[in-house]
Amino acid sequence: MLKKETGYLCLFWNDILQHCNKVSIDLQSKSNDILKAVNLLKSLKNVVSSLRDSNMVYERRVGEFCSQISIMYKDENKRKIIKKFPDGNNKTLTALSGIDKFRVETHHVIVDKFCSELDKRINAYSVVVENFLFLTRLHVESTIDVEESVNKFISVYKDDVDDSIKICKILKLKSNRYLLLLSSSYVIIVFSTKTLTNSLELALVSLLLWKVVDSMSVSDKVIAAENEIRNKYAYCTSITDKVVMSRKLRLLPSHHFSHCLEIGTILAVGTFNGLLTFLLFAVTPLFDWISRGFSKNIDHFVKIFNVHFIVLFLCTQPGIFVFILIDSFYYKHITENKASLVITPLNFIKYNIKPSNLDEHSTHFQMTHAIINIPLLFNVLTLLFLGRLQFKSLIKIVLNHHYHVLPNVYELNTLMMANVIIPLFLLSILPHQEPRFLLPLLLPIVFSISKNQRHIKVYDLGSSLDPDELMNCMTL
């Protein structure tokens, strides 16, 4: 026990374990999160790594630790080995001893092995930090680490991530407040965890909003670049400059049919989901998608509107055809002896227009959705949404005929609010009103009540964007 090596290791391990104990206590704190845990492990590794070249410090401390400890290492008095070779030459084998041997074979090995094991744990937790850090920071303002975590999460789980995060990324919004409202919502916790057709409808409406907002963002960038080029063209004095501007204008990417096939497929899936109410929720985003890129020239607007509408209608046909075939085969309307098509939405309409069928499921007062179901589902979010409507300001605008200050129909906030009010109005016309029919209103309500909205305009003559940067960086 009085060997020098024993005293050295006692002092050395005492320092390491003291730091480990402090880190362990901090890791068990209730207020700890994953980022702090990783940073604590990294700091512990840095401290232990700094001890690698401190062998002389412990060499000195051993003598001060106890006067009875040996002053020499056990192998310092070991005789040197002289090896004789056949040619008659005698050579002394080079071998470390004493402090050098203890430093290389013990001190450095302990430090390197300890840091290696810490690296394994740091790397394991770092994966969690990169992908899921934002889940522990929903209650605070976004930081660089949180934003990087959100972006990493979206890139890794792009097929599974909620559409609200994708909309925030497109519009460069801080996603914390939206995620907090969504994840704590009664609708998400209770209804969205069940295999209801309305839960699927909520997902489809969210997916549709994401695609529409992305299309509006793309159109905004392309039209802003187009306006920039046209303004530069108007001030060009030489033929060469005008040719360059004309070439840039022709090279601008097309934006009229962005996400057209995806939106058409979503419409087909939502229509054949079993509830035609999906089309009521799709009215507002579809209008914004069809009419984006408008012009003050009414003839040009009508032309764009009609072209978008026809193309979108054609894009829904493949999905509709597939679902009709699936339903027809499933219900055995297409066999060797007969062939008839099953059109589920048509059957839905035929069933629900009969008053006797509706009486079996009960009919409700037309204001049931507005007075009972919305407060029941969304609770305090309903009050916050009503506060965001600003009825007093709208009444003043209408009475004073200041229609030019009304919200732009192509702003994100207007889109989300309209996607609550219009479907609610249309659903209130129907005689059968259940709370689950309103589940798809969750995402628009969350975006409507969150503060610091950034508005997205499809057509903005005042916006400025470098056309070269757009053509080099934008991906459609």
Side-chain angles (χ1 to χ4, degrees):
M1 292 297 294
L2 297 178
K3 294 179 181 178
K4 191 171 185 178
E5 291 89 338
T6 304
Y8 188 106
L9 289 175
C10 286
L11 294 172
F12 185 51
W13 275 111
N14 178 65
D15 289 348
I16 293 177
L17 294 177
Q18 278 189 352
H19 290 294
C20 290
N21 184 54
K22 292 178 181 178
V23 170
S24 179
I25 292 173
D26 287 338
L27 286 174
Q28 297 175 56
S29 172
K30 292 182 180 180
S31 61
N32 199 5
D33 59 37
I34 191 66
L35 180 61
K36 184 179 179 182
V38 171
N39 290 335
L40 284 171
L41 292 177
K42 288 181 179 179
S43 66
L44 178 60
K45 178 191 170 184
N46 292 335
V47 170
V48 176
S49 297
S50 66
L51 299 178
R52 196 174 193 276
D53 298 324
S54 61
N55 59 298
M56 294 306 298
V57 175
Y58 289 100
E59 180 75 13
R60 186 185 67 254
R61 288 176 59 189
V62 169
E64 301 171 355
F65 180 57
C66 180
S67 59
Q68 298 180 6
I69 290 180
S70 174
I71 61 173
M72 299 180 67
Y73 292 94
K74 65 179 182 179
D75 61 345
E76 284 191 82
N77 294 326
K78 189 177 180 180
R79 67 183 182 86
K80 296 181 178 180
I81 301 175
I82 300 176
K83 190 172 183 179
K84 295 182 178 180
F85 293 92
D87 59 359
N89 293 325
N90 297 333
K91 292 185 177 180
T92 303
L93 293 178
T94 303
L96 296 175
S97 63
I99 185 173
D100 295 327
K101 183 178 181 180
F102 191 82
R103 182 186 71 249
V104 173
E105 296 183 0
T106 304
H107 183 99
H108 286 177
V109 171
I110 291 173
V111 172
D112 294 342
K113 183 63 177 177
F114 193 92
C115 292
S116 175
E117 293 298 321
L118 276 178
D119 278 333
K120 293 178 182 179
R121 288 154 179 79
I122 291 172
N123 292 336
Y125 285 115
S126 294
V127 174
V128 180
V129 170
E130 290 175 1
N131 296 335
F132 304 102
L133 171 65
F134 66 94
L135 295 176
T136 65
R137 298 296 182 87
L138 295 177
H139 59 288
V140 298
E141 288 295 323
S142 294
T143 62
I144 295 177
D145 293 328
V146 174
E147 293 299 324
E148 289 179 354
S149 174
V150 171
N151 294 333
K152 180 71 174 178
F153 179 81
I154 294 174
S155 63
V156 174
Y157 302 98
K158 58 184 178 182
D159 296 328
D160 306 305
V161 70
D162 189 88
D163 299 312
S164 62
I165 305 181
K166 297 177 181 178
I167 294 174
C168 291
K169 184 178 180 182
I170 293 170
L171 303 178
K172 298 180 180 178
L173 301 172
K174 294 181 178 181
S175 57
N176 291 33
R177 59 177 66 92
Y178 306 95
L179 288 173
L180 180 60
L181 289 173
L182 279 174
S183 61
S184 60
S185 171
Y186 168 76
V187 172
I188 290 291
I189 296 172
V190 176
F191 289 94
S192 296
T193 55
K194 294 179 172 61
T195 55
L196 297 170
T197 53
N198 303 95
S199 300
L200 179 58
E201 195 173 60
L202 167 60
L204 290 172
V205 171
S206 302
L207 188 62
L208 177 63
L209 285 170
W210 166 42
K211 292 298 180 181
V212 169
V213 169
D214 193 28
S215 300
M216 293 169 66
S217 178
V218 170
S219 296
D220 183 34
K221 293 176 183 178
V222 175
I223 292 175
E226 182 180 346
N227 292 333
E228 185 76 14
I229 293 173
R230 292 188 186 279
N231 290 336
K232 290 181 179 180
Y233 182 88
Y235 290 99
C236 288
T237 55
S238 65
I239 299 297
T240 304
D241 292 338
K242 290 187 176 183
V243 170
V244 171
M245 291 296 108
S246 299
R247 187 175 298 168
K248 286 184 177 181
L249 193 61
R250 290 195 302 271
L251 292 175
L252 283 176
S254 174
H255 66 96
H256 289 290
F257 307 113
S258 59
H259 298 306
C260 186
L261 185 59
E262 295 100 313
I263 292 175
T265 304
I266 294 170
L267 286 175
V269 175
T271 304
F272 282 80
N273 180 40
L275 295 172
L276 281 181
T277 51
F278 172 80
L279 295 178
L280 304 182
F281 293 101
V283 168
T284 305
L286 286 183
F287 175 81
D288 276 20
W289 187 91
I290 293 173
S291 62
R292 66 199 162 80
F294 75 98
S295 172
K296 292 182 179 179
N297 186 328
I298 188 64
D299 294 332
H300 185 239
F301 172 77
V302 172
K303 180 181 177 181
I304 290 177
F305 190 94
N306 291 336
V307 170
H308 285 182
F309 180 82
I310 293 171
V311 172
L312 182 61
F313 177 77
L314 294 175
C315 287
T316 61
Q317 299 311 301
I320 291 174
F321 179 72
V322 169
F323 282 111
I324 290 176
L325 286 181
I326 291 173
D327 289 342
S328 300
F329 277 106
Y330 181 80
Y331 293 105
K332 298 181 180 180
H333 280 245
I334 297 180
T335 61
E336 295 179 356
N337 300 324
K338 64 174 182 177
S340 61
L341 299 178
V342 175
I343 304 177
T344 304
L346 184 60
N347 294 337
F348 178 86
I349 294 173
K350 288 180 179 179
Y351 180 85
N352 285 278
I353 59 175
K354 294 182 179 180
S356 59
N357 293 333
L358 287 176
D359 290 338
E360 292 182 6
H361 301 280
S362 74
T363 56
H364 302 90
F365 173 55
Q366 286 189 331
M367 296 297 291
T368 301
H369 276 324
I371 298 177
I372 299 175
N373 293 341
I374 277 197
L376 183 66
L377 282 177
F378 304 109
N379 204 294
V380 71
L381 297 184
T382 307
L383 298 176
L384 294 175
F385 178 77
L386 291 175
R388 292 284 289 173
L389 289 178
Q390 300 177 347
F391 287 113
K392 187 182 294 185
S393 300
L394 290 175
I395 293 172
K396 287 183 179 179
I397 291 172
V398 174
L399 293 178
N400 297 326
H401 304 289
H402 294 159
Y403 302 113
H404 61 282
V405 298
L406 286 172
N408 192 323
V409 295
Y410 297 100
E411 292 177 352
L412 174 65
N413 195 36
T414 307
L415 167 63
M416 294 300 177
M417 286 191 168
N419 210 50
V420 175
I421 297 171
I422 293 175
L424 179 61
F425 172 77
L426 296 175
L427 286 169
S428 297
I429 299 174
L430 303 178
H432 184 63
Q433 301 182 18
E434 296 182 36
R436 61 188 178 93
F437 294 163
L438 301 180
L439 298 188
L441 295 181
L442 176 62
L443 188 69
I445 288 178
V446 166
F447 269 92
S448 298
I449 66 177
S450 295
K451 298 179 181 179
N452 302 325
Q453 288 277 11
R454 289 188 183 182
H455 299 292
I456 172 173
K457 296 182 180 180
V458 172
Y459 192 79
D460 187 1
L461 292 174
S463 59
S464 177
L465 189 65
D466 186 0
D468 295 326
E469 180 184 353
L470 175 70
M471 289 187 293
N472 291 334
C473 301
M474 197 171 80
T475 302
L476 289 177

